[in-house]
């Protein structure tokens, strides 16, 4: 399919669809992150009484359980998006997320129903894990396909803008509740409020996503498939993905490892780290996290635009080199500082480097696959990495702290970023004249050619 066969959509249409998609992404990731944000309050509600680290470790393990099912969501919803459309898949994913939030909001405590409390918590997180597993690939595909030529890096960066906005919304709700309620009220019932907000917001998101325009790339792919004779139809789904694009799958897996671990280290685990290791008050940590994440959010379109200008690989190398050199010293100082200002500065520096990965996370992966397997090709390996590395970030960190080897975690993060560095070396850069191109030739060819995003 030539690039000319897909006329550039009007800027106003693109903006409207990106805004609708990102608002939905915002609410969905808000639902996902309020678990991690408020776990310091409800850890004692769902699990037997014990020391704080043990309870946090229990909630972190359940957080990881939600990640473990993400590959199934990446497979099922990714295949669904490639077969039935990005819009339908995105609507389904937010519905599942809302169901999970509603379940958590109304689950009684461990004192009231015993083991049913953590059981229902696990079931809710499994449902949300299915949702998030399918969200990334469908959202990345939609943003890449709806964006105009020459600006895919910029528009795709708004996927992480909406993800961070979801985190900021979760932190904002926490800050408000911390100022309106006492510590005892938050631990008793106040932590349920954000889950109710997330479930109700899901109803609005369902409508917004149903009104999005479908990707024209997907519509043309469907028309092409319908016009083909049955005996010459292209392979699709997992069969096509593994047979024709194994190199791309390996590249996406490698790219996601360091970025995912670094992202969850500095946006999710760091809150517990500053409270549990540095000894900074919870309310102060919430403000630090909110301010640093706000800066991180603003950096996304800057890094995305830069990648449209200079290429994806140079920007990705900034993340890799910075992460490998600075992770250990930054985490070491953060663990020993009692100054909120130093904590904010170091967290912002770390997130500045992470933005060079997160802004490109969608587009650099989406450009590797054709329309027929794009959502599955991006979503499945990303979900596998999220399950094996992202979801285990907090349990590994807290487990090492509990065993007295906390500093080993810093080197673990550094090693994961080094793997992303190696994967970046293997990613072919689209031609200098057009940074929209993607390898369409099956990986069995020694040197895949590039062709327009189709």
């Amino acid at each position: 399919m030539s690039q000319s066969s897909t006329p550039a959509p009007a800027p106003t249409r693109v903006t409207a669809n990106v805004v609708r998609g990102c608002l939905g992404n915002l609410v969905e990731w808000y639902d996902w992150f309020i678990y991690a944000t408020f776990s310091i309050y409800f850890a004692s509600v769902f699990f037997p009484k014990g020391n704080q680290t043990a309870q946090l470790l229990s909630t972190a393990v359940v957080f990881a359980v939600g990640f473990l099912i993400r590959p199934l969501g990446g497979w099922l919803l990714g295949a669904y998006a490639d077969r039935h459309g990005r819009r339908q898949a995105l609507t389904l994913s937010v519905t599942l997320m809302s169901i999970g939030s509603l379940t958590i909001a109304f689950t009684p405590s461990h004192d009231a129903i015993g083991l049913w409390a953590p059981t229902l918590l696990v079931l809710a997180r499994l449902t949300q894990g299915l949702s998030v597993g399918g969200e990334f690939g469908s959202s990345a595909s939609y943003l890449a396909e709806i964006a105009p030529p020459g600006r895919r890096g910029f528009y795709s960066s708004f996927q992480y803008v909406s993800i961070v906005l979801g985190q900021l919304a979760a932190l904002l709700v926490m800050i408000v509740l911390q100022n309106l309620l006492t510590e005892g009220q938050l631990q008793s019932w106040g932590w349920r409020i954000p889950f109710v907000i997330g479930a109700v917001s899901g109803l609005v998101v369902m409508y917004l996503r149903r009104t999005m325009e479908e990707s024209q790339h997907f519509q043309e792919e469907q028309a092409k498939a319908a016009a083909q004779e049955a005996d010459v139809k292209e392979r699709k789904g997992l069969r096509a993905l593994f047979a024709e694009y194994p190199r791309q799958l390996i590249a996406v897996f490698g790219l996601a490892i360091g970025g995912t671990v670094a992202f969850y280290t500095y946006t999710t685990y760091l809150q517990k780290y500053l409270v549990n290791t540095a000894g900074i008050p919870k309310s102060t940590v919430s403000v630090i996290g909110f301010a640093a994440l706000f800066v991180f959010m603003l950096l996304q379109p800057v890094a995305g635009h830069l990648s449209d200008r200079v290429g994806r690989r140079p920007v990705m190398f900034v993340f890799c080199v910075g992460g490998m050199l600075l992770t250990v010293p930054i985490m070491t100082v953060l663990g020993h500082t009692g100054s909120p200002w130093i904590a904010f500065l170091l967290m912002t520096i770390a997130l500045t480097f992470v933005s060079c990965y997160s802004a490109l996370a969608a587009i650099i992966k989406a450009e590797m696959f054709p329309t027929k397997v794009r959502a599955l090709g991006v979503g499945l390996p990303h979900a596998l990495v999220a399950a094996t590395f992202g979801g285990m970030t907090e349990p590994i960190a807290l487990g090492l702290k509990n065993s007295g080897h906390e500093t080993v975690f810093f080197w673990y993060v550094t090693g994961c970023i080094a793997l992303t560095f190696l994967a970046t070396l293997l990613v072919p850069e689209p031609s200098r004249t057009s940074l929209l191109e993607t390898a369409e030739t099956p990986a069995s060819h020694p040197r895949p050619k590039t062709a327009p995003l189709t």
Side-chain angles (χ1 to χ4, degrees), residues 193-247:
I193 295 175
F195 289 98
V196 174
I197 293 174
V200 173
S201 299
L203 297 176
V204 178
V205 172
M206 287 172 60
Y207 170 77
L208 288 174
R209 287 194 159 172
R210 288 178 66 86
T211 61
M212 291 191 307
E213 295 181 47
E214 183 56 86
S215 157
Q216 188 170 354
H217 287 279
F218 175 77
Q219 292 175 333
E220 291 185 355
E221 177 67 22
Q222 289 294 91
K224 183 181 73 172
Q228 290 177 323
E229 296 295 332
D231 59 342
V232 296
K233 282 187 176 180
E234 291 183 294
R235 288 183 296 189
K236 293 186 177 182
L238 284 178
R239 182 183 175 192
L241 194 63
F242 285 106
E244 300 175 23
Y245 305 97
R247 286 180 59 187

Side-chain angles (χ1 to χ4, degrees), residues 237-323:
L238 284 178
R239 182 183 175 192
L241 194 63
F242 285 106
E244 300 175 23
Y245 305 97
R247 286 180 59 187
Q248 288 88 336
L249 282 172
I250 294 172
V252 171
F253 190 89
L255 285 170
I257 290 175
T260 298
V261 171
F263 177 79
Y264 280 103
T265 295
Y266 290 112
T267 65
T268 303
Y269 171 65
L270 201 64
Q271 182 183 18
K272 285 85 172 176
Y273 182 67
L274 291 176
V275 171
N276 210 22
T277 297
I280 299 176
K282 295 176 184 177
S283 57
T284 303
V285 169
S286 297
V287 175
I288 293 171
F290 186 92
L293 283 173
F294 186 81
V295 176
F296 179 58
M297 177 191 68
L298 296 179
L299 290 172
Q300 302 307 303
V302 176
H305 175 71
L306 184 62
S307 77
D308 285 330
R309 294 285 185 175
V310 304
R312 317 296 186 212
R313 291 178 64 187
V315 178
M316 187 68 74
F317 280 136
V318 173
F319 158 69
C320 295
V321 175

Side-chain angles (χ1 to χ4, degrees), residues 3-11 14 143-155 216-217 308 312 363 367 433-437 452-453:
Q3 189 172 347
S4 60
S5 66
T6 305
V14 172
L143 291 175
E145 293 168 0
I146 203 71
R151 305 205 71 192
R152 285 199 172 98
F154 173 76
Y155 278 104
Q216 188 170 354
H217 287 279
D308 285 330
R312 317 296 186 212
I363 190 60
E367 285 177 331
T433 57
S434 173
L435 293 175
L436 317 177
E437 298 174 346
L453 182 65

Side-chain angles (χ1 to χ4, degrees), residues 19-90:
V19 168
R20 283 179 235 172
C22 287
L23 282 175
N25 207 29
L26 184 161
V27 174
E28 183 157 354
W29 284 95
Y30 162 84
D31 282 344
W32 179 253
F33 282 117
I34 53 175
Y35 179 95
T37 304
F38 281 86
S39 63
I40 56 177
Y41 291 108
F42 67 72
S44 60
V45 175
F46 287 98
F47 299 96
K49 292 180 173 59
N51 65 65
Q52 185 183 39
T53 300
Q55 289 177 337
L56 287 174
L57 182 57
S58 297
T59 58
V61 169
V62 176
F63 190 73
V65 167
F67 276 84
L68 291 178
I69 202 170
R70 283 179 64 165
L72 182 60
W75 171 32
L76 295 178
L77 290 181
Y80 184 83
D82 287 330
R83 185 173 297 275
H84 298 288
R86 318 312 190 197
R87 182 178 60 188
Q88 290 192 45
L90 290 170

Side-chain angles (χ1 to χ4, degrees), residues 46 96-108 116-117 119-125 127-128 191-192 195-196 199:
F46 287 98
L96 292 172
M97 180 63 71
S98 296
I99 291 173
S101 289
L102 197 64
T103 301
I104 296 174
F106 292 101
T107 296
W116 277 108
T119 300
L120 289 173
L121 182 65
V122 169
L123 290 175
R125 291 301 290 179
T127 302
Q128 292 183 321
W191 63 267
R192 298 181 187 272
F195 289 98
V196 174

